[in-house]
């Protein structure tokens, strides 16, 4: 049996396109519907209560597209509102926290793991809880890196300012002698090179998006809902606003041009 229904992916904005990129590399024949809540981004500094309300709206938009599975690409939503999405969706839901934590536990030798993310993600300690559940001997250390989000969107991957900020954020973590660092935010894979550079290439960087794509592939098989077609997949992009430079920034995050970007409003999300 083949299931051509799309995988639904949502995020607070453009960042989740790094997760779409990982998904379409791993699963090139799966159709994808993406929703980015660009009108209300960022979610990172917002209270858990508001993020939970937004997550519900985002889920409903995807459900209107008859998705077969939902990927919560946003780390902040995965950290504080995964249960809300699971309760609302009638389909399997995958967040980015568990897959990222699992990949880190598998890769770390010293069992000393660092976590970086938005203020909301770090405050929730969702990664720390997941790591401990997987291996009680793991020690974890975390630091919020909110300025990485605008720097990645600005395209300042090689800028001196980014390097200085990265040093400031990451130095305290390296003092804890971690060997693995979880990039717990959609935007951070864009800054992989500078993060490696300032930590002197000593850390294994865990891209939660890539780890999530692995879990999604396994789930499609175990649920028997893989698309067996060998046709090129259809990627559709929906946003709650089309802000300036969205296509340009999106292209950097996705690794290719997005094509048509459609705006939807929450009131009439049946486009
Ligand atoms: N997508 C968010 C995350 O992964 C980062 C941007 C935001 O703060 O909304 O946590």
């Amino acid at each position: 049996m083949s299931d051509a229904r799309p995988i639904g992916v949502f995020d607070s904005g453009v960042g989740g396109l790094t997760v779409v990129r990982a998904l379409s590399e791993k699963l090139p024949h799966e159709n994808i519907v993406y929703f980015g809540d660009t009108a209300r981004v960022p979610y990172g500094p917002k209270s858990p209560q508001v993020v939970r309300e937004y997550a519900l709206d985002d889920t409903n938009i995807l459900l209107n597209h008859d998705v077969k599975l939902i990927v919560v690409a946003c780390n902040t939503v995965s950290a504080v509102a995964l249960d809300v999405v699971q309760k609302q969706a009638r389909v399997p839901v995958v967040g980015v926290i568990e897959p990222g934590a699992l990949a880190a536990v598998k890769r770390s030798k010293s069992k000393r793991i660092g976590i970086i993310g938005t203020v909301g993600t770090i405050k929730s300690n969702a990664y720390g809880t997941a790591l401990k559940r997987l291996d009680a001997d793991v020690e974890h250390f975390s630091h919020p890196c909110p300025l990485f989000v605008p720097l990645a969107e600005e395209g300042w991957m090689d800028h001196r300012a980014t390097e200085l900020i990265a040093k400031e954020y990451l130095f305290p973590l390296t003092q804890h002698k971690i060997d693995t660092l979880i990039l717990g935010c959609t935007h951070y894979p864009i800054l992989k090179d500078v993060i490696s550079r300032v930590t002197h290439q000593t850390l294994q960087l865990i891209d939660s998006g890539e780890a999530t794509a692995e879990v999604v592939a396994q789930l499609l098989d175990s649920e028997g809902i893989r698309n067996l077609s060998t046709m090129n997949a259809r990627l559709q992009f929906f946003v709650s606003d089309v802000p300036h430079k969205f296509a340009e920034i999106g292209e950097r995050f996705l690794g290719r041009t997005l094509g048509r970007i459609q705006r939807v409003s929450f009131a009439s999300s049946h486009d």
Side-chain angles (χ1 to χ4, degrees), residues 55-65 70 88-90 269:
L56 203 53
D57 293 337
D58 302 342
T59 304
N60 286 336
I61 289 199
L62 290 182
L63 291 174
N64 287 333
H65 289 274
I70 290 179
Q88 182 74 359
R90 303 170 290 272
S269 49

Side-chain angles (χ1 to χ4, degrees), residues 12 35 37-43 46 50 53-58 240-241 266:
S12 55
F35 174 67
D37 191 6
T38 41
R40 303 190 297 196
V41 70
Y43 285 10
K46 297 200 166 75
V50 164
E53 283 167 22
Y54 288 180
L56 203 53
D57 293 337
D58 302 342
S240 47
D241 184 20
F266 291 108

Side-chain angles (χ1 to χ4, degrees), residues 14 17 153-155 243-258 261:
V14 72
L17 293 175
E153 293 197 7
E154 196 61 29
H244 300 297
K245 301 214 285 184
F246 180 81
E248 183 193 318
I249 300 169
E251 191 174 326
R252 188 179 320 124
F253 280 58
L254 184 65
R256 58 177 145 139
T257 48
L258 277 77
I261 301 156

Side-chain angles (χ1 to χ4, degrees), residues 71-125:
V71 176
V72 181
C74 182
N75 286 254
T76 309
V77 174
S78 299
V80 303
L82 197 65
D83 58 327
V84 173
V85 182
Q86 276 163 339
K87 203 161 156 231
Q88 182 74 359
R90 303 170 290 272
V91 294
V93 174
V94 183
V96 288
I97 306 282
E98 287 286 336
L102 184 62
V105 166
K106 278 191 188 155
R107 299 261 296 273
S108 171
K109 293 210 164 54
S110 68
K111 299 196 184 205
R112 298 176 72 81
I113 299 174
I115 306 151
I116 52 175
T118 64
V119 172
T121 299
I122 299 305
K123 255 180 128 39
S124 75
N125 193 33

Side-chain angles (χ1 to χ4, degrees), residues 118-164:
T118 64
V119 172
T121 299
I122 299 305
K123 255 180 128 39
S124 75
N125 193 33
Y127 273 109
T129 309
L131 287 170
K132 280 282 183 198
R133 200 167 40 235
L134 291 163
D135 184 341
D137 295 335
V138 162
E139 285 196 77
H140 56 87
F141 308 90
S142 59
H143 204 290
C145 303
L147 292 173
F148 279 174
V149 169
L151 289 168
E153 293 197 7
E154 196 61 29
W156 281 16
M157 284 83 75
D158 286 321
H159 200 287
R160 223 159 30 96
T162 310
E163 192 152 326
L164 282 174

